[in-house]
Amino acid sequence: MNAFLSYIREFIRTIHPGLTLFCFGFAALLVFLNYRYAIEPRVVNNIPNRLYRFLCFYLVYLTAFAIPYLVLFAVKGKVTEWKSLLLLVLVAPGIFALKVSFVGISQIIQDHSSGIWGRYAAIVANLPSKLLVVLLPLYIVWRAGRYGQPFFGLTVKQFEWSPYLLMLLIMIPLIAWAATQPDFLHTYPKLKQVRFIGDHTRNPWLYNLMFEIAYGIDFITIELFFRGFLVLAFLRFAGPEAILPMAVFYCSIHFGKPLAECISSFFGGLLLGLIVYQTRSIMGGLIVHLGIAWMMEIGGYLGHVLRSK
């Protein structure tokens, strides 16, 4: 825990205070506008045309990501390799908008398989297929950019597990409290998407486990993109300040989640970004993210069980 506190102190000393204040205020403004007018859950998600839906997601993510970088340009003046940075700033929201909008493999399964098992396979295949959608452009960027570190922080070299396990222990009472809230229970557990399969198999636990593994794969995608790409690939241009636009972008992908989860995602993004910046590894963030995600699944399940009694 002392290491995390030192990370935070060093970060506060090195980043531009004006950019920090702007990003905090800008994230708050975006959260207010989304939850006041339901921009993502009621507008973007209900667009039937896939191209238009992609473009709307791109606009939301571009706004969240590019505007902090415009402020970064303003407060820092000359930025190293600014043309390359501008290109990546424009491309990054497109990669994630494609990930969110992509239904390719699931659609193929639905078109060629009917009934309960086809529906189940389409749901389980959805998130792993999105990892591939993100992985390909990230690999191209990594090769083209000639980055020296392992592929966007995928390394366990000199990695210590214990601090991250302690962080998960600290999260247990917070998740236990969240599991009593109606908006949390409306969203979790995600496992309820495949609850129907329990009536069609003698081993529902096996198919539930397969879903949870597929659900966990999505957090590999998230960590690779937000911490591996948006921090490590942008350090050469923006230094530690790259963490701030990443956190705003990361907050924006939670607009469809409960309000408390969306707000906490901004601060969680900052902390995970700090860890990656200091360690050059996404493994710590991956452990925390996966652990919290699966604990929220358990919390959601137990919350529903207790409410039903």
Side-chain angles (χ1 to χ4, degrees), residues 6 20 42 96 107 114 154 179 182 185 191 223 239 302 306 309:
S6 68
T20 304
R42 293 185 184 174
F96 205 82
Q107 189 64 54
S114 59
L154 280 173
L185 295 177
L191 182 64
E223 289 304 314
L302 294 177
L306 293 175
K309 292 184 177 181

Side-chain angles (χ1 to χ4, degrees), residues 2 6-7 34 59 70 76 104 112 117 121 132 153 178 185 211 245 248 270 272-273 286 297:
N2 289 334
S6 68
Y7 293 167
N34 179 73
L59 181 60
L70 289 176
K76 293 195 72 172
H112 292 83
W117 291 103
L132 299 178
L185 295 177
F211 171 83
V248 180
L270 287 175
L272 294 175
L286 187 57
E297 287 289 282

